[in-house]
Amino acid sequence: MTDASGPVALVDDDADLLHATTQLLELAGFTVTALDAAEAALAVVDRDFEGVVVSDIRMPGMNGLQLFGRIKAIDPDIPVILVTGHGDVDLAVAALKDGVYDFIPKPYAGDRLVEALRRASEKRRLVMENRRLREAAALAADGLPLIGEAPAISRLRETLRQIADMDVDVLVEGETGTGKEVVADLLHRWGRRRAKPFVALNCGALPETVIESELFGHEAGAFTGAQRRRIGRIEHSSGGTLFLDEIESMPPALQVKLLRVLETRSVTPLGSNETRRVDLRVVAATKVDLSRQDQRGDFREDLYFRLNVVTLRIPPLRERRGDIPMLFGHFLGKAAERFGRPVAKVNAAISDHLQSHAWPGNVRELAHFADRVALGLGPDDETKAVRAHLPEPAATLPERVGHYEAQLIRDALRDHGGDVRSAIDALGVPRKTFYDKLKRYGIAASEFRNGGDPDPQPVRGQR
């Protein structure tokens, strides 16, 4: 669980009691600002104050009740705890009805104050987090792209602005789900090519015979089934941007042809001897480091150097955890709009999940989680929903292992948007083994594409 300790503005005109209470709260993990007058508290408390105010009621000048009234006018969601003498109980009860978070009569046990502060701090934390999410949702409505305040993201946005109008090929590196196509799209939209097509092709999603025709096009009769002429993706993108995702998966034979296209800026369709000039800008994306031989595999080094005019790296979500609330707010706002629902509030379970989860599927996984939250399905509810679809506890160890294994496969497919290649990489299993398990557990990868999240099906007995 998230630590509920946080900032505390402690107000008391009794110097000895102020010092002792400050020590008590600091030992409990709070960050205390000790103040000897209510007027001093107003100098440190504003609408962005992240913590709780604890104040004695009876003080010279402005008393605790008056201080509460002033704080309520600043932000009614700032929790105020009043410390009262015996004769002030009726005043404190009236203040509770007016919005005071809690009151503690003197003399009090230290753990009573600490416990009240922990609850109040947690409430304030959730209030502030929901405000930030609403602000991020408002930004989402304005179409703010590549959201984040991490230095690496700020530099990336600045670089994209600088090179958007330059006719240079770009290599985008990033793990699955980090937003490589978003970067490519921004390069297109922020540059002078935006009026022409943005053409995308996933090199790992099509067999070699199909991808060659898709890229280069063909003439009628070029091969069996080619009944009419087809303009390839390269030619169609002329004047605009050609985005080649998972470039590392391109078959070696096609790498040679693509290299020639990049060098000559011309294309020859299948079944034709005609060479056609193209105004080409290529943005290629890869989830591996092509500069390293151990990761490059059979990807041609000369093609890597040709693409590597400008290389942009997108950091994984774990390297910019501070951006998670803002990103989540963006996706939550989009999901609420898509599903026709109000923007959901974040509770403690959701907040803890956002902060503690590793997010191996990066931004894509976070977006899918926001969809589930928008539909009213949080982390705890999701677990219950999964368990509700499972059979009674298995009697044998193989059956129990099967249930767990099937759920891991579903999670990997969901986190990677149904991308089988990425799921296989994430799970670290051979392709044949993966497909055998899909068949065994009755899992269809296609159901996880486009944000799909099918209900888990009971796992049958092991073979």
Side-chain angles (χ1 to χ4, degrees):
M1 293 296 291
T2 302
D3 184 4
S5 301
V8 175
L10 179 64
V11 189
D12 201 316
D13 63 320
D14 184 328
D16 292 336
L17 187 57
L18 183 65
H19 178 70
T21 307
T22 297
Q23 287 188 318
L24 167 72
L25 297 182
E26 287 180 342
L27 286 173
F30 294 95
T31 303
V32 181
T33 301
L35 306 161
D36 60 5
E39 292 82 359
L42 293 175
V44 299
V45 175
D46 57 19
R47 195 173 185 277
D48 294 326
F49 181 64
E50 300 271 353
V52 183
V53 176
V54 179
S55 176
D56 192 15
I57 283 187
R58 294 197 177 274
M59 294 181 294
M62 186 185 298
N63 64 34
L65 288 172
Q66 292 170 326
L67 174 61
F68 163 67
R70 295 283 295 274
I71 291 173
K72 184 179 179 181
I74 295 171
D75 183 353
D77 290 324
I78 295 176
V80 176
I81 298 175
L82 296 178
V83 178
T84 69
H86 178 72
D88 298 324
V89 173
D90 289 342
L91 288 175
V93 171
L96 278 177
K97 296 179 181 179
D98 196 31
V100 165
Y101 181 79
D102 200 357
F103 76 91
I104 301 177
K106 297 178 182 178
Y108 57 83
D111 57 355
R112 167 77 172 84
L113 176 60
V114 168
E115 180 58 30
L117 270 171
R118 290 199 189 282
R119 292 196 306 271
S121 294
E122 175 67 3
K123 177 185 177 182
R124 182 62 175 170
R125 184 179 69 82
L126 290 174
V127 164
M128 297 303 286
E129 190 158 330
N130 276 288
R131 282 183 186 173
R132 284 189 285 268
L133 291 177
R134 285 195 296 272
E135 291 168 359
L139 291 174
D142 292 336
L144 178 67
L146 206 61
I147 291 173
E149 297 177 348
I153 292 297
S154 297
R155 288 194 299 270
L156 180 57
R157 282 196 298 264
E158 183 179 350
T159 302
L160 290 176
R161 294 278 189 193
Q162 291 173 347
I163 67 173
D165 269 333
M166 298 180 182
D167 282 332
V168 293
D169 296 328
V170 178
L171 183 64
V172 183
E173 295 179 349
E175 295 179 5
T176 297
T178 51
K180 296 186 288 294
E181 186 163 356
V182 172
V183 167
D185 182 62
L186 288 179
L187 277 172
H188 178 73
R189 288 197 288 120
W190 287 353
R192 61 177 179 78
R193 292 175 173 265
R194 57 183 170 271
K196 296 293 185 177
F198 175 82
V199 181
L201 179 70
N202 188 316
C203 300
L206 299 172
E208 182 173 351
T209 53
V210 175
I211 191 174
E212 183 173 10
S213 175
E214 284 290 321
L215 270 176
F216 298 95
H218 62 256
E219 297 296 320
F223 52 84
T224 303
Q227 297 179 355
R228 64 184 66 178
R229 180 189 182 198
R230 177 181 176 84
I231 301 296
R233 303 287 183 98
I234 294 174
E235 188 173 355
H236 181 55
S237 72
S238 184
T241 302
L242 176 65
F243 174 58
L244 299 177
D245 198 7
E246 295 191 28
I247 188 73
E248 73 278 3
S249 302
M250 179 174 283
L254 286 186
Q255 293 178 34
V256 177
K257 295 184 177 181
L258 177 62
L259 178 61
R260 179 166 179 78
V261 169
L262 294 176
E263 290 174 340
T264 64
R265 260 34 190 187
S266 62
V267 62
T268 303
L270 297 176
S272 171
N273 293 321
E274 179 186 356
T275 299
R276 301 170 187 164
R277 300 288 298 174
V278 287
D279 176 11
L280 190 62
R281 194 213 194 151
V282 174
V283 179
T286 175
K287 62 179 179 290
V288 302
D289 186 351
L290 292 177
S291 67
R292 295 178 50 178
Q293 177 61 48
D294 59 327
Q295 294 190 27
R296 190 165 64 237
D298 58 6
F299 192 82
R300 293 179 63 95
E301 188 177 35
D302 51 0
L303 179 55
Y304 163 67
F305 288 134
R306 187 63 188 78
L307 288 169
N308 188 30
V309 179
V310 175
T311 297
L312 303 175
R313 178 182 180 272
I314 309 176
L317 204 50
R318 63 180 175 274
E319 293 182 8
R320 53 181 188 118
R321 299 194 68 88
D323 287 341
I324 289 176
M326 184 181 294
L327 282 163
F328 181 69
H330 171 94
F331 294 128
L332 196 60
K334 289 291 188 183
E337 179 182 349
R338 190 165 65 253
F339 299 139
R341 294 190 171 207
V343 177
K345 287 192 174 183
V346 173
N347 59 29
I350 293 170
S351 178
D352 289 336
H353 185 71
L354 289 173
Q355 296 182 43
S356 62
H357 187 58
W359 302 109
N362 293 294
V363 178
R364 182 184 297 154
E365 181 186 0
L366 183 63
H368 291 168
F369 179 64
D371 286 348
R372 295 196 292 275
V373 172
L375 292 170
L377 189 64
D380 293 337
D381 295 328
E382 182 182 6
T383 301
K384 292 175 184 176
V386 170
R387 289 175 178 169
H389 286 83
L390 293 177
E392 291 300 311
T396 67
L397 179 60
E399 288 175 340
R400 295 180 186 180
V401 171
H403 297 324
Y404 181 63
E405 187 173 58
Q407 189 55 46
L408 288 179
I409 293 172
R410 292 190 186 95
D411 289 345
L413 286 168
R414 184 186 64 237
D415 293 344
H416 297 287
D419 184 340
V420 170
R421 183 187 296 272
S422 298
I424 289 173
D425 291 343
L427 293 170
V429 297
R431 178 179 292 270
K432 184 178 185 305
T433 300
F434 182 81
Y435 279 107
D436 286 345
K437 292 183 184 298
L438 289 184
K439 183 177 180 181
R440 176 184 302 178
Y441 300 133
I443 299 172
S446 60
E447 295 179 9
F448 292 82
R449 294 180 187 133
N450 300 319
D453 200 2
D455 292 335
Q457 300 299 315
V459 177
R460 307 301 176 193
Q462 305 297 297
R463 292 180 181 177

